[in-house]
Amino acid sequence: YLFILLYQRIPTPEEFFKQYQICYQRDAYQLGSVGEVSEEVIKARLYRAYPSLIRDIHFYTLCSGDPRFDDVKYSTEVDKQGVDLIVSRGGERFAVRLHNSSEAASNWAKTKEVAGSFSAVIDIVLDNPNRIGCFNLYNDQSLDYLAAAMDVAIGEKLDNAN
């Protein structure tokens, strides 16, 4: 994300890898209990993660341009909890998790504990993507789902307050 902020464009997969090396140079090849891993292993992992980066940025851009949402933010702090975006609507903040429709991705999302003052955690599953070039991307149906899920959460909060 630093690359995008600095250069105002999406990095190539190669630039994504190089930026990772710059940002995490001192611990780039330490992965916790796994121990040391080779540069090739890190590179392969990042190249597999690259399409997800593109999807996340694309969905951020879609949300940012949608008047139904008051504010859209990315935070490195909540990203560590598996939250991809913080989207506000009607004075409420929502944690949004983006993932594909695989069972592994769904299970991974469920393992993350989301802390913070969010009205709800909303999962947006990439189950009917738009194919653009070599990328599967979120679409207007995903935005509609997010808006509807927010409406439900806001309605439930109002019901509980009465």
Side-chain angles (χ1 to χ4, degrees), residues 4 12 20 35 37 40-41 47 50 53-54 67 71 78 92 96 110 117 127-129 140 145 152 160:
I4 297 164
T12 65
Y20 180 89
V37 294
E40 292 78 27
V41 170
Y47 274 57
Y50 184 75
L53 171 73
I54 299 302
D71 192 30
V78 296
E92 302 292 330
V96 178
K110 292 174 187 172
S117 55
D127 56 4
N128 188 19
D140 289 341
Y145 176 84
V152 167
N160 292 335

Side-chain angles (χ1 to χ4, degrees), residues 91-105:
E92 302 292 330
R93 289 173 18 135
F94 298 88
V96 178
R97 299 187 300 196
L98 305 169
H99 55 87
N100 65 38
S101 59
S102 74
E103 186 176 342

Side-chain angles (χ1 to χ4, degrees), residues 19-142:
Q19 188 65 39
Y20 180 89
Q21 287 179 305
I22 291 166
C23 290
Y24 300 102
Q25 187 167 12
R26 62 174 183 227
D27 60 350
Y29 306 111
Q30 285 287 352
L31 293 179
S33 62
V34 176
E36 287 192 30
V37 294
S38 70
E39 180 175 333
E40 292 78 27
V41 170
I42 297 289
K43 189 173 189 177
R45 182 175 287 183
L46 289 172
Y47 274 57
R48 283 192 308 274
Y50 184 75
S52 178
L53 171 73
I54 299 302
R55 282 192 298 274
D56 290 1
I57 293 166
H58 180 259
F59 195 70
Y60 172 89
T61 303
L62 287 176
C63 289
S64 295
D66 193 308
R68 294 176 287 184
F69 309 123
D70 301 329
D71 192 30
V72 182
K73 292 183 179 172
Y74 167 80
S75 165
T76 55
E77 288 305 309
V78 296
D79 183 61
K80 295 173 187 171
Q81 300 172 33
V83 173
D84 296 297
L85 298 176
I86 302 167
V87 182
S88 299
R89 181 176 183 176
E92 302 292 330
R93 289 173 18 135
F94 298 88
V96 178
R97 299 187 300 196
L98 305 169
H99 55 87
N100 65 38
S101 59
S102 74
E103 186 176 342
S106 180
N107 289 339
W108 173 252
K110 292 174 187 172
T111 66
K112 295 287 190 170
E113 287 290 323
V114 178
S117 55
F118 298 109
S119 298
V121 177
I122 300 171
D123 287 303
I124 307 293
V125 178
L126 185 70
D127 56 4
N128 188 19
N130 281 349
R131 180 89 174 164
I132 300 176
C134 60
F135 298 103
N136 289 324
L137 301 174
Y138 293 94
N139 54 37
D140 289 341
Q141 291 173 332
S142 303

